[in-house]
Amino acid sequence: DYYKANTAAYEEADLQRIFVPKLKPQEKDAAQSKDKPSEEDVKKKEQESEEATKKLADSLRARAAAGEDFDKLQDEAYASTEMKNKPPTKLGKVRRNGLPPDELAVLDSKSGEVSQPIANPSGYFIYKVGEKNTLPFEQVKQEISTTLSQQKLRDEMQAIQQSATPELNEKY
């Protein structure tokens, strides 16, 4: 029954991902100006950098949807940064518990679809969903058993804690 009620938790998809790191603000006039930049200038540069990163992410997403190679697009995303170690684009089989909560909507996509860029404090993620399947009951039986026993233990502990009401005895 638990398996049937929670089949979405046992779906897995073959994912590819492009990470577009946030571009650093350009330091214009840094050599000319010895003064510390004003807070307004810093915010303006950060806003411009954010817009440039979003534009790059949208461009890479459109090209990925058109069928371009994810490794090539990932190289291009990192070409404008100083970062050396780029992440792999092939994530393999991933389940819902393997993604951050704000990226779970990706698994609701159909096979072959490319997601819209998903904002993150460090950049943007673009996913492509490959083959999807649901793990058979026999393969997740032990996991379900463990989950249900932990849930029962939590429920029992909560019942015990709620049944006891501490009382402060001033005389003691």
Side-chain angles (χ1 to χ4, degrees), residues 55-127:
K55 185 177 179 181
L56 176 61
D58 288 337
S59 162
L60 293 175
R61 187 253 174 232
R63 291 171 52 198
E68 281 195 48
D69 181 48
F70 265 57
D71 288 322
K72 178 184 165 196
L73 296 173
Q74 182 68 74
D75 289 341
E76 193 173 316
Y78 266 67
S80 59
T81 66
E82 297 173 4
M83 295 182 193
K84 303 286 186 243
N85 299 330
K86 64 181 177 110
T89 57
K90 291 178 177 40
L91 299 179
K93 300 282 186 184
V94 178
R95 289 178 37 194
R96 288 187 184 277
N97 60 1
L99 287 175
D102 57 338
E103 298 173 22
L104 288 177
V106 168
L107 293 176
D108 295 332
S109 303
K110 295 177 185 169
S111 293
E113 286 186 358
V114 177
S115 73
Q116 292 296 320
I118 300 170
N120 182 291
S122 58
Y124 289 89
F125 291 102
I126 302 165
Y127 288 93

Side-chain angles (χ1 to χ4, degrees), residues 32-77:
Q32 296 173 350
S33 174
K34 295 179 183 177
D35 299 329
K36 189 175 180 180
S38 71
E39 193 173 315
E40 186 177 306
D41 289 341
V42 170
K43 285 184 180 181
K44 183 178 178 184
K45 287 180 182 179
E46 286 177 358
Q47 181 67 28
E48 289 172 357
S49 173
E50 176 67 30
E51 289 172 6
T53 304
K54 175 71 170 133
K55 185 177 179 181
L56 176 61
D58 288 337
S59 162
L60 293 175
R61 187 253 174 232
R63 291 171 52 198
E68 281 195 48
D69 181 48
F70 265 57
D71 288 322
K72 178 184 165 196
L73 296 173
Q74 182 68 74
D75 289 341
E76 193 173 316

